[in-house]
Amino acid sequence: NERLPVQYIAGVTPWRNFKIAVSSAVLIPRPETECLIDLAKALFADASGHWADLGTGSGAIAIGLADVLPNATIHAVDYSLEALAIAQANADDLGFADRIKFYQGCWWEPLALLKGQFSGMVSNPPYIPTSILTTLQPEVVNHEPHLALDGGVDGLDCIRNLVEISPSYLRSGGVWLIEMMAGQADAVRELLQNQGNYCNIQIHADLAGIERFALAYRS
Ligand code: GLN
């Protein structure tokens, strides 16, 4: 197991003010994603209602949201049962079990009963173009789950799906907020514009100045 990430060896990583348990079934939560939660805190701290974390992995985003949006109910979805077990254990250990509900399935699918009612959707979806995967550092490509990394030929498969499907799940004024890869901002902005049901589309930078987050509102 050459160049196994130290976080997998330790079984835990610091992330925001938490210790998040990880295994090789989930991505290691990253500093950029801490920024995503800062953005949610700055803009939506007073928010209530239903918020979704789609592709929750370790549960980091769901836990971060539960922490900074104290009046919101968080619904966390993942395709991987192994990931969900870790996310649920993290929520339990960190005292957020009563604030986060967990679901197995594909993106919005398990939340169909709440169609049209969501106040927000936050996601750090797989966004690496398949051809780039093998060029990533060995710690990542040889050890982190490809299900959580591989975004298809242009890296935008999952983001396209989230752009298309979210309007039917968000209430009017509902928030659409994702993390993406360097260089994807223009394409994601265009997807949101062309879909036709979003307004006030914004791109926000991470601490390195890279356009990293896309934010829009359901019109
Ligand atoms: N939401 C999780 C995270 O931000 C997992 C992301 C992913 O697996 N692509 O760490």
Side-chain angles (χ1 to χ4, degrees):
N1 266 337
E2 261 178 39
R3 296 183 64 167
L4 183 63
V6 67
Q7 295 92 336
Y8 289 151
I9 296 168
V12 67
T13 188
W15 185 83
R16 291 184 71 81
N17 46 319
F18 304 114
K19 286 199 175 95
I20 304 278
V22 293
S23 78
S24 56
V26 299
L27 283 200
I28 298 159
R30 289 177 165 67
E32 292 85 346
T33 312
E34 298 180 328
C35 250
L36 179 69
I37 302 301
D38 287 336
L39 199 54
K41 182 179 183 175
L43 296 172
F44 312 119
D46 296 333
S48 56
H50 299 293
W51 285 67
D53 169 17
L54 303 183
T56 194
S58 65
I61 290 176
I63 287 162
L65 286 177
D67 189 35
V68 303
L69 312 182
N71 301 315
T73 301
I74 314 299
H75 303 266
V77 176
D78 208 280
Y79 189 74
S80 159
L81 282 170
E82 245 185 303
L84 280 172
I86 289 166
Q88 175 84 66
N90 278 320
D92 290 347
D93 290 347
L94 296 167
F96 290 104
D98 58 334
R99 301 279 317 287
I100 307 171
K101 296 179 170 67
F102 292 92
Y103 308 80
Q104 193 276 330
C106 212
W107 305 113
W108 282 108
E109 275 173 15
L111 305 176
L113 288 173
L114 290 171
K115 254 187 189 180
Q117 295 183 46
F118 280 86
S119 298
M121 185 282 306
V122 183
S123 181
N124 176 23
Y127 51 60
I128 314 284
T130 306
S131 61
I132 305 280
L133 266 188
T134 53
T135 72
L136 300 179
Q137 57 195 111
E139 285 84 350
V140 177
V141 65
N142 294 339
H143 299 288
E144 297 203 76
H146 286 207
L147 179 66
L149 295 170
D150 191 344
V153 170
D154 66 355
L156 296 172
D157 282 0
C158 302
I159 294 176
R160 260 191 295 273
N161 178 64
L162 293 176
V163 168
E164 284 306 314
I165 309 297
S166 299
S168 63
Y169 282 82
L170 294 171
R171 65 165 174 77
S172 175
V175 172
W176 189 93
L177 174 61
I178 65 146
E179 182 171 331
M180 62 196 162
M181 191 172 83
Q184 291 178 334
D186 288 346
V188 173
R189 178 195 291 279
E190 199 174 308
L191 288 172
L192 287 162
Q193 275 164 354
N194 292 344
Q195 202 282 335
N197 288 117
Y198 297 93
C199 60
N200 198 1
I201 300 163
Q202 303 166 27
I203 305 296
H204 291 266
D206 63 19
L207 292 174
I210 293 168
E211 294 183 320
R212 176 70 66 189
F213 311 108
L215 168 64
Y217 296 84
R218 171 76 168 95
S219 41

